[in-house]
Amino acid sequence: MITDESDRLFKRRLQMVERAFEHLLADPHYGPLMLEDGRPEFLADLRQEWRERQDRARAHLVYDLREEASLAES
């Protein structure tokens, strides 16, 4: 499911979560807590949403290019 925030804001949030996740997972105290709390699944969901956002953006670009080509042919 794609959230309401902009792609730029979402990408920035994803990058922050990825950086924090790496550091916290390596910590002997916080690593097990993160695994227990389901954080890997949360990160996987964020990455999946980012892929969906990229697919949507590509689809819009292809549609726009086809529309533009159609208008140019007319």
Side-chain angles (χ1 to χ4, degrees):
M1 182 180 126
I2 296 180
T3 57
D4 292 338
E5 62 191 336
S6 70
D7 288 346
R8 181 188 297 167
L9 181 60
F10 184 85
K11 179 63 175 175
R12 191 169 57 187
R13 183 166 66 102
L14 173 60
Q15 290 171 339
M16 288 183 343
V17 169
E18 285 178 328
R19 279 192 305 268
F21 184 80
E22 290 176 23
H23 293 293
L24 291 172
L25 196 58
D27 186 273
H29 175 72
Y30 290 108
L33 292 174
M34 290 187 62
L35 293 174
E36 192 175 294
D37 193 29
R39 292 299 171 177
E41 292 81 15
F42 175 70
L43 181 58
D45 289 345
L46 289 177
R47 288 177 175 161
Q48 176 62 34
E49 181 170 340
W50 180 245
R51 285 189 295 271
E52 290 173 6
R53 286 171 175 267
Q54 290 176 315
D55 290 344
R56 183 185 62 183
R58 277 192 291 274
H60 282 287
L61 179 62
V62 167
Y63 175 80
D64 290 345
L65 291 174
R66 285 183 182 160
E67 189 72 23
E68 191 174 304
S70 174
L71 290 174
E73 290 176 358
S74 300

